[in-house]
Amino acid sequence: VQLQASGGGLVQAGGSLRLSCVASGTRIFSIGIMGWYRQAPGKQRELVATITYGGTMNYANSVKGRFTISRDNAKNTVYLQMNRLKPEDTSVYYCNGRVLTAAWDDYWGQGTQVTVSS
């Protein structure tokens, strides 16, 4: 199973970006909760947002009202729409998925850099 994240980049404060993450593999039977995390230099990785298979969403307080997580179960894809970006949102963003193959396991994408200039 591989999770491939894309959509990062450089944007000015107040701008928007949309991240995507696709899970692929030959033995994926189901994907449970999916989410986005971020890690800035010198800091611990932190949760940004999660979404269950049924669409229940959870957000970090720092992004509520600005970021929206969604998913397309048919495409094994999770998205993160980021609006009104702030310089403190600058981080490497990682996607995560709980995937059922022979058993349930957690998988991580490779990370995509988001840089917000002031």
Side-chain angles (χ1 to χ4, degrees), residues 18-40:
R18 189 190 195 211
L19 306 183
S20 300
C21 177
V22 181
S24 63
T26 59
R27 296 184 62 192
I28 295 176
F29 293 109
S30 184
I31 301 178
I33 193 165
M34 301 185 80
W36 290 94
Y37 294 73
R38 66 187 182 187
Q39 187 168 19

Side-chain angles (χ1 to χ4, degrees), residues 5-103:
S6 62
L10 173 64
V11 64
Q12 287 188 331
S16 298
L17 284 174
R18 189 190 195 211
L19 306 183
S20 300
C21 177
V22 181
S24 63
T26 59
R27 296 184 62 192
I28 295 176
F29 293 109
S30 184
I31 301 178
I33 193 165
M34 301 185 80
W36 290 94
Y37 294 73
R38 66 187 182 187
Q39 187 168 19
K43 295 187 177 181
Q44 289 188 330
R45 189 171 296 187
E46 63 176 4
L47 179 146
V48 176
T50 61
I51 184 168
T52 66
Y53 182 88
T56 299
M57 297 166 282
N58 179 55
Y59 295 94
N61 287 334
S62 59
V63 307
K64 281 182 181 177
R66 301 187 297 123
F67 292 10
T68 302
I69 191 171
S70 61
R71 64 189 285 171
D72 184 331
N73 292 328
K75 296 181 179 180
N76 290 342
T77 301
V78 62
Y79 306 96
L80 186 68
Q81 178 67 44
M82 305 185 293
N83 298 327
R84 291 186 284 136
L85 282 159
K86 303 176 181 180
E88 51 263 44
D89 295 318
T90 295
S91 280
V92 178
Y93 283 71
Y94 297 90
C95 60
N96 171 271
R98 190 152 180 83
V99 181
L100 176 63
T101 55

